[in-house]
Amino acid sequence: MAIKSILTSQTDFTGEFPVSEKTVALWRFNEATPDSNNMLADDSGHNRNFFVSGWSGTSANLSSGRLGRYFRQNIINPTSEKTHLVATNDGSFFSDLGEKIVVGGWINPTTYSVGQTYIPIFNTRQGPGQPIFYVSLFQGRLRLMLYNSSGSLIYDQTETPTIPLKNNGWYFIASIIEVNSKRVQNLLCDRSDGAVWQSPVRTFTGDLNQSCVADIVMGMHANTYYYAGGFDDWFYEKDSSLTMEDLIFYFKSSILANGGDSTADVDALVDPGSVILKATSGVYAQSGQFYSIAAACGLSGTGRVSVTSEYIAGITSISLVETSTSDDLSSWTEWQAIGTSGELQSPNREYIRYRITLSTQDTSRTPKLLEIQLHDIPKPPYERLGFARPVVLDTNGAWEAVLENAFDIVVTSEVNGADILEFKLPFHDSKRETLDNEKQVQIVNDVYRIRTITDEKSSDGRVVTQVYAEAAFYDLSFSAEKEPMEFVAETPEVPMRYALLNTGWSLGNVTVNTKRTWQSTEKNALAILRTIQNIHGGDLIFDSANRLVHLLTFGGTDSGALFCYRKNMKSIQRVVDTRSLITRLYAYGKDGMTFASINGNKEYVEDYSYSSEVRVGTLDASSISNPYQLLEFANMRLAQYAKPRISYVLSAMDLSVLTGYEHEAWKLGDIVTVDDKDLNLSVKTRVVRRQYNLQEPWKTLLELSTTLRELGDSSAVWDKAADILSSADVLDRQEVKDLVPFNHLRNSRADDGLTYWLSSGFTVDPNNGVSGSASFKAEGVLGMTKSLSQTVYPASRKSYTFSVQIASENLQKGPNGKVGIEVVIEYEDGSTETRFIDLY
């Protein structure tokens, strides 16, 4: 998979003119006011700032517009206000011009500027010394004048564009001046309708004044002529590589981008390189639609859109990603939402643009869009494993070579385990030179990275290259180090997104819906993903072609494939293994936590359904801090350990590679049927490991297991586990008593009924308590909220502990049901913060 285009910079999000290494100066005018010296910044980084002459006491201002702020001058009376901009030439503006210079930017003229005869725009005629060029309007039409070193005019052309300038219109204008070829061309574009006009290519005689040391003056000439209106994003390049096509592409591709638009509900200027919701007086908009510039599309295969963002689960989000495509940057297809895994649904065209909706449930917080990638997923040269050959990919993910002469090609893969590729190639094969460590190799839709290359000469003189490669997802083990992270009653999507952040991989489909409270201490993305699978269950599926990671309740299908002796099964071995049989399982969570207090004071669970013998084992679940979950987790594991492990190893042929047997197709994780009358065997079982020989599919080895229901199955009882705050542990009776003297809550044991409490649906049970005789009680009603609240004023301490003992009976939560403690913290400055501690 190759990356076709990436949008990640401020100009990608705002449509502002981009800086290049050839940019001499670029003035965006994004400040609210000039600095204390009346200077406006040069955003090229060269410090060629503009001095504002006539700022105070005039109509000059920096107004909000489409590209952030823009400079507006002489709106009341140009001849009396006389506002203009001056960039002092340090002597380097016009030295070493190279082959081409380009000037341009946005103008927003008033009726005055359109109607007067002489209106200066970009001017070097003020000196010192002789000028080099003069960009102006002549009776509302573009005019360009060029000068030689003696100050003589060598070019003077007023154009008559098909686009008439109008009061308060926004226009992008530019002039390309070829220094040595002595050619000139001008451009005028109208933002209101996307119209583009370019002048004929014209020529001039004589030589440009390359010794010019004049300053650049915008909006004034000879203290007599003044421009009235707005300027934005003005630039000057020398030795430029810009062409007329580049300038037109900039205009057309950027016209819809709204990250800098003052009227939009999104903002790409406050935090450069990202898009957030726009804040007004510290309050973010609830939602906003962001429009990007256009980027390259033109896919060789299918496309997938990957969006990188920062968000708070359940509060802020990138709620919708849509695309539109075009062949000419003028006619665009309708907006179309991407697929659930980022699949591009818009037609494949030369260009693509994005509309992305940002949302928040809390207007004090905002999501942050960081990057948009378009991936080109070429159609693989082989559609199935049988008889496929390795395809070497170049650094862009495109095909470089098909290794037709590779042999002993074996893919070994396991459910929730290893995935490796091994093959050999004659050393003197002409395509041997395409092999190198860390290059990628594609097998059908899977991508592997070469880790070892071994050249070996045998006793008969043959020289063979052996290649060992690991699946592309192994690279996730080299991700940037991850900080420890607490996950409180979260479904697996949340920690998976955290693991994949800034890895280039994205979250795919997740059908496992268990909630878990735990602490991640792993350092890399792959280790975190493996831990998530272990804790939440299901099958971890890596889609290398699309760089997606899925967590599925069951990562396979009932394929219908049948393995029979003398049909497609050459040999079979059945193994019944009780070496790991356990009937009593102890489990220990975070800080040695047990579930004894909720399990009849027993730190273990038992299962004697297969054997009455006591066989003891210990389960390390140190990442789990919830005793309810620990108990469920232990019961789930014991259900696996308390019976023999039955597996089958087959030497079998993949019949699906033969014409007429396509229905016999199967893949890793699928359920298949194994039938052998001699062994009195007919069983449905799952392919948990395969050693597939691509060159000789009849030599394929399969390992099958009868364990068909895997951790993560939504019908399993442990799926209903309780979830509580990750730092909470079960407290025994004495510990509860010890906490009472320091308790800020009044009547916390219900000794005085509901005194001090505000109750909505709670009652007092006088006969059942923990540290006392009474307790608070509520009977849940579907669709109704029942609460018990109290306001406390604690002393100033560094930390506080919330503790509660709960009992439940037949508790079932609705789709949006919650059982827990909501804490609203009010700080000294009057701000508040709400936290929810999930108890069940």
Side-chain angles (χ1 to χ4, degrees), residues 154-168:
I154 60 174
Y155 179 85
D156 184 0
Q157 179 68 47
T158 299
E159 304 288 358
T160 305
T162 56
I163 300 172
L165 299 185
K166 298 178 182 178
N167 175 52
N168 206 35

Side-chain angles (χ1 to χ4, degrees), residues 79 210 439 455 513 552 593 812:
T79 59
Q210 297 199 45
K439 291 190 73 170
D455 296 317
N513 56 15
L552 307 180
M593 180 193 70
Q812 296 182 356

Side-chain angles (χ1 to χ4, degrees), residues 562-607:
L562 174 66
F563 290 94
C564 290
Y565 186 62
R566 291 179 181 171
K567 173 195 174 189
N568 56 352
M569 185 170 65
K570 298 172 63 178
S571 65
I572 183 172
Q573 179 185 58
R574 178 171 62 182
V575 179
V576 182
D577 186 354
T578 58
R579 288 175 297 177
S580 301
L581 184 71
I582 294 173
T583 57
R584 177 181 292 176
L585 182 63
Y586 288 79
Y588 298 98
K590 181 181 179 182
D591 299 326
M593 180 193 70
T594 73
F595 44 66
S597 63
I598 59 173
N599 190 46
N601 293 320
K602 294 188 296 184
E603 297 181 359
Y604 57 84
V605 290
E606 297 174 295
D607 186 340

